[in-house]
Amino acid sequence: MNLAKPRIDVGLFTNHPEAMLDFYQSEIGLPFDHTLPLGQGLVQHRHDLLGSVLKINSSRAPLPDGAPSGYRELLIAREGLSGPRNLADPDGNRVTLVPPGTFGITRIGVKLAVRDAAAHRRFYAIALGLPDVPEAGGNSFYWGDSVVMFEETADAPADAALEGTGFRYLTVQVWKTDEEHRGVLARGGREGRAPQTLGKVARISFVRDPDGNWIEISQRASLTGSLD
């Protein structure tokens, strides 16, 4: 993929925005950037995550507490640690602070629960065209300077929903959404939502991995200078 930003962003949904904002700002120490209205009662609270963006989405109407997606853990590199520090946010999402270099992580990593590791290796290596982390045995990939890793588990989803609380999607910033979207589908990815333009802000689409986990492909005008 031709990245406009060399790292991924992470999106989660919550019914408890006040507690979640306090946790990520006070406990984790993420700088708040700005609030972005998304329409239909959704509001996104954007935080700087070592150059990535943590997008905490909340809604006027309660969100369904459905089955979790495959995105199960956010790992954040933190200087000064002698080992991992395991935490959970107010909604129970796992957040782990790790010494830089752990699992190849220099900024952030995301851990997935998957039904079929071989299918996900093909998806990340072929459909997305990402290089693997050499020391990780094929179940971990670099996405710019972010790391995505996965392991087979019995409770991995068969058809992960975008709607619901918890970690729900990853975002990759590219130069041309339409080109990248077509390319992922041609190489075996599944369509989530066709490309659409959001005002003058971004052109986005969604694709899905073999378990249905959602990935947003975003051409953001502030990075690319154009939505054409």
Side-chain angles (χ1 to χ4, degrees), residues 70-163:
Y71 301 122
R72 298 295 173 84
E73 185 176 0
L74 172 63
L75 300 99
I76 305 171
R78 181 64 53 86
E79 297 285 351
L81 295 178
S82 59
R85 182 184 176 203
N86 300 304
L87 303 167
D89 70 22
D91 284 354
N93 303 303
R94 296 202 299 267
V95 181
T96 303
L97 307 180
V98 298
T102 304
F103 307 124
I105 297 169
T106 57
R107 291 177 181 264
I108 71 164
V110 176
K111 184 177 290 186
L112 287 81
V114 305
R115 293 179 301 149
D116 184 340
H120 279 77
R121 283 194 291 271
R122 290 191 296 271
F123 175 77
Y124 279 98
I126 298 174
L128 297 183
L130 303 182
D132 67 345
V133 180
E135 62 270 24
N139 287 356
S140 186
F141 288 81
Y142 285 118
W143 211 335
D145 57 21
S146 303
V147 173
V148 177
M149 63 189 77
F150 47 84
E151 59 183 2
E152 290 186 2
T153 66
D155 66 343
D159 188 25
L162 181 60
E163 297 76 18

Side-chain angles (χ1 to χ4, degrees), residues 23-112:
F23 173 83
Y24 283 101
Q25 293 174 14
S26 300
E27 181 70 19
I28 304 300
L30 302 187
F32 172 74
D33 191 329
H34 66 279
T35 297
L36 178 66
L38 299 178
Q40 299 181 332
L42 281 172
V43 176
Q44 185 175 99
H45 310 273
R46 298 170 65 88
H47 294 73
D48 178 68
L49 180 60
L50 299 178
S52 295
V53 178
L54 177 66
K55 298 182 280 189
I56 301 175
N57 302 294
S58 61
S59 172
R60 285 198 304 264
L63 298 161
D65 287 315
S69 75
Y71 301 122
R72 298 295 173 84
E73 185 176 0
L74 172 63
L75 300 99
I76 305 171
R78 181 64 53 86
E79 297 285 351
L81 295 178
S82 59
R85 182 184 176 203
N86 300 304
L87 303 167
D89 70 22
D91 284 354
N93 303 303
R94 296 202 299 267
V95 181
T96 303
L97 307 180
V98 298
T102 304
F103 307 124
I105 297 169
T106 57
R107 291 177 181 264
I108 71 164
V110 176
K111 184 177 290 186
L112 287 81

